[in-house]
Amino acid sequence: MGSLEIRQFMCLNDNFGVLAHDPETGATFAVDVPDADAVMSELQAAGWKLTHILITHHHADHTQGLAALKARTGAFVIIPRKSSDRVGPFDQKVDDGDVVPFGSDEIRCIATPGHTLDEISYWLPGSGVAFTGDTLFAMGCGRLLEASPEVMWASLEKLVEKLPSDTRIFCGHEYTLANARFAVSVDPANAALADRLAEVEALRAAGKPTLPTTMALELQTNPFLRVHDAGLQDAIGLAGVPAAEVFAEVRRRKDSF
Ligand code: ZN
Ligand code: FE
């Protein structure tokens, strides 16, 4: 594991700002820019100089501070190729499989369409961290605003396949408590999920963030990754149904929960 230092902070209502810093080279990136002032304050508090900005998708709550932050720091801006007509300014467009050197590690780009069509997740394998934007959340996944359930399911399967189980995962929003309450409704016999709900309630009551999560924890407790599970399928009356169809039903239920 590399020695990437990470600071996570709240922006707007429930967006996360994230800064990651390689102490050996001084390279520092921000993931998304919900609020340029919040990112600048965090940089000052840490004493870090911003070198890169990574954008996960085109929504305003992830990009509205981009122009101001670029103007104030001159950081190199990386955006999804499919956002390039909507997001700027930028220096490089990336797509699935692209690799960007960063400090003593590298940033691997994984296309994860579903919430939006442009969404890219960023993974630094040497540091064991990933940033999944509004694709994968703790015990949840993004709403399907631009794509079918099949597309999102394929993206989640891709993350499960690529990310080692001890990968620390940072997400775009603090949605964890609401996600956990829904998760229990479709996966009521899952003891690990019941334990996690109690932990998350305690963290939120104390005003603390519930992220990062890990792939291992998501595989145990995220209903959108557990659509193969016999207990979950039974609980929603879909025993033996293909995973992609179970995923679509779980997503439908979450939309009206
Ligand atoms: Zn979004
Ligand atoms: Fe968002």
Side-chain angles (χ1 to χ4, degrees), residues 15 57 59 61-62 115 134 137 172-173 175:
N15 281 75
H57 67 295
H59 284 159
D61 62 313
H62 299 257
H115 171 66
D134 288 1
F137 291 121
H173 292 268
Y175 288 162

Side-chain angles (χ1 to χ4, degrees), residues 33-149:
V33 195
D35 177 341
D37 288 338
V39 178
M40 288 304 299
S41 317
E42 200 69 20
L43 282 166
Q44 272 151 18
W48 297 344
K49 184 182 178 310
L50 196 69
T51 56
H52 298 70
I53 300 169
L54 314 180
I55 298 293
T56 61
H57 67 295
H58 68 85
H59 284 159
D61 62 313
H62 299 257
T63 58
Q64 62 197 10
L66 174 60
L69 190 62
K70 167 80 167 167
R72 289 161 77 174
T73 62
F76 188 86
V77 178
I78 292 165
I79 67 164
R81 184 178 63 79
K82 294 193 175 85
S83 337
S84 60
D85 55 344
R86 286 171 290 191
V87 176
F90 65 86
D91 297 290
Q92 183 178 351
K93 298 183 264 185
V94 292
D95 210 335
D96 194 47
D98 287 347
V99 177
V100 180
F102 177 80
S104 44
D105 199 348
E106 61 187 24
I107 300 165
R108 295 200 195 166
C109 305
I110 307 172
T112 49
H115 171 66
T116 60
L117 284 173
D118 61 341
E119 183 112 20
I120 297 278
S121 296
Y122 297 99
W123 173 37
L124 287 85
S127 309
V129 298
F131 304 89
T132 58
D134 288 1
T135 299
L136 178 65
F137 291 121
M139 292 174 277
C141 73
R143 292 172 68 90
L144 307 183
L145 300 177
E146 299 180 6
S148 66

